[in-house]
Amino acid sequence: MTDSASLSGIDPLSARLRELAGYLAAPTVARLTEEQRALSLGIARRLVIDVATRLDRAIDTDRLWREWLRGGLPGAERLARICFARAEEHRWRDLSMQRSSPPPILPETDEAVADAPSIDAPLSDVDRAYLALQIADRRRFDALGHPALAVADLDDDIFRALLLDIAGWRLSEVSHDHKRAAELGDAVRIATERHADEKGISQAGVAYHDQLGSGLADAARDAILRHDWPTLIALAAAAHRRSYGDMALALLTAETAALPSLLAPLGLDRAAMAPLEASLAMLPARAVADDGALAMSGLTA
């Protein structure tokens, strides 16, 4: 029986030889674990399906993914960074949840009850911005709680490139139907315009950051104590005027000595960062970037 990879135009032997050559060229470099591979692949799959559904709900997304999985994903280099960043963030959060202790149960004294906010009390602007950030974070999971990339969080260029790749695949299916083929162009335009108006977790982080004002350092410190990493990442991203994904990757791959520089705009002292440093140090198979990589990302102070 002919290997499916050969049918898709990929020589299995050549692919394995390239993989081996890469290993021999740097045998001591840490490789992806099976968990990292599975998480990143699952995130990529959910993203492709979400974007394909926006383009045309009639697309057989299972078939699209199977064909791309056999032949290789178009724009794999573009997708690798964002999928890896989301997967590593998920591993970090999951580990933190497993290791962190539940919050202490406070006694229900009369004074505590008196200080508790009324259910009917309106939310402050800060609380409303924080709630919006939590909602934006929740959209980065599928219905079963698996990590995903919200389409609203994608860079415009990445979204459009993926959309066009899917449209090209779809065109090969409907090319015989001139009407449906012509409609693809309009579908790409509509999806692109819709995406340009969407706000994701980066924008929610900026709104929360701007509402905090002088309370920024306290909010960042509380986020670290609660192991609320999405809030910390969002605040740091807003302070650096970078995307949430770029900030997450920079933070997750930073050497311990680089953390004060990365988080300097948040006004944190070294003691406040101790739980963060300890949590990152416990993450298995964490990829640590050198100073040159961080400088290239534009996230050094």
Side-chain angles (χ1 to χ4, degrees), residues 202-275:
S202 294
Q203 291 80 6
V206 170
Y208 183 46
H209 172 276
D210 293 348
Q211 285 293 335
L212 284 169
S214 61
L216 175 60
D218 288 339
R221 188 180 302 107
D222 290 345
I224 291 175
L225 289 175
R226 296 194 312 270
H227 286 191
D228 182 1
W229 306 132
T231 295
L232 179 67
I233 294 169
L235 290 177
H240 281 285
R241 300 302 177 190
R242 304 286 296 195
S243 73
Y244 180 96
D246 281 351
M247 192 68 232
L249 191 59
L251 190 60
L252 278 158
T253 59
E255 292 276 10
T256 300
L259 291 175
S261 175
L262 280 176
L263 301 180
L266 301 183
L268 295 168
D269 56 34
R270 194 59 186 260
M273 286 189 285

Side-chain angles (χ1 to χ4, degrees), residues 18 92 96 100 146 167 189 194 229-230 282 290:
R18 283 196 300 270
W92 184 28
S96 296
S100 61
H146 299 133
R189 177 182 55 79
R194 174 188 171 190
W229 306 132
M282 290 188 296
D290 58 24

Side-chain angles (χ1 to χ4, degrees), residues 80-292:
R81 182 181 178 86
I82 59 175
C83 291
F84 181 72
R86 183 67 184 95
E88 288 297 274
E89 181 201 350
H90 182 75
R91 288 203 310 129
W92 184 28
R93 294 172 68 174
D94 191 49
L95 179 71
S96 296
M97 289 178 61
Q98 294 174 22
R99 292 179 177 268
S100 61
S101 302
I105 299 176
L106 301 176
E108 293 188 6
T109 62
D110 292 340
E111 183 179 353
V113 173
D115 291 338
S118 168
I119 294 177
D120 297 327
L123 289 175
S124 67
D125 290 341
V126 171
D127 289 339
R128 191 176 294 110
Y130 178 72
L131 178 60
L133 177 60
Q134 302 306 299
I135 293 172
D137 177 48
R138 184 61 191 88
R139 290 182 180 135
R140 301 185 311 130
F141 294 87
D142 70 3
L144 299 177
H146 299 133
L149 281 163
V151 174
D153 295 330
L154 292 183
D155 172 86
D156 288 341
D157 291 338
I158 291 178
F159 173 74
R160 182 170 176 79
L162 180 56
L163 191 69
L164 290 174
D165 286 334
I166 295 171
W169 180 88
R170 180 62 169 162
L171 183 60
S172 67
E173 280 196 324
V174 300
S175 57
H176 60 282
D177 186 331
H178 297 296
K179 181 176 182 296
R180 293 177 71 183
E183 289 173 347
L184 269 178
D186 287 336
V188 169
R189 177 182 55 79
I190 292 170
T192 302
E193 291 174 352
R194 174 188 171 190
H195 179 260
D197 293 333
E198 289 182 300
K199 298 185 185 303
I201 195 168
S202 294
Q203 291 80 6
V206 170
Y208 183 46
H209 172 276
D210 293 348
Q211 285 293 335
L212 284 169
S214 61
L216 175 60
D218 288 339
R221 188 180 302 107
D222 290 345
I224 291 175
L225 289 175
R226 296 194 312 270
H227 286 191
D228 182 1
W229 306 132
T231 295
L232 179 67
I233 294 169
L235 290 177
H240 281 285
R241 300 302 177 190
R242 304 286 296 195
S243 73
Y244 180 96
D246 281 351
M247 192 68 232
L249 191 59
L251 190 60
L252 278 158
T253 59
E255 292 276 10
T256 300
L259 291 175
S261 175
L262 280 176
L263 301 180
L266 301 183
L268 295 168
D269 56 34
R270 194 59 186 260
M273 286 189 285
L276 168 65
E277 295 170 357
S279 179
L280 286 171
M282 290 188 296
L283 183 63
R286 183 167 75 97
V288 178
D290 58 24
D291 293 338

Side-chain angles (χ1 to χ4, degrees), residues 62-77:
D62 286 339
R63 180 184 172 193
L64 165 64
W65 180 251
R66 287 196 304 270
E67 290 192 11
W68 278 13
L69 200 58
R70 288 196 301 267
L73 273 64
E77 291 186 3

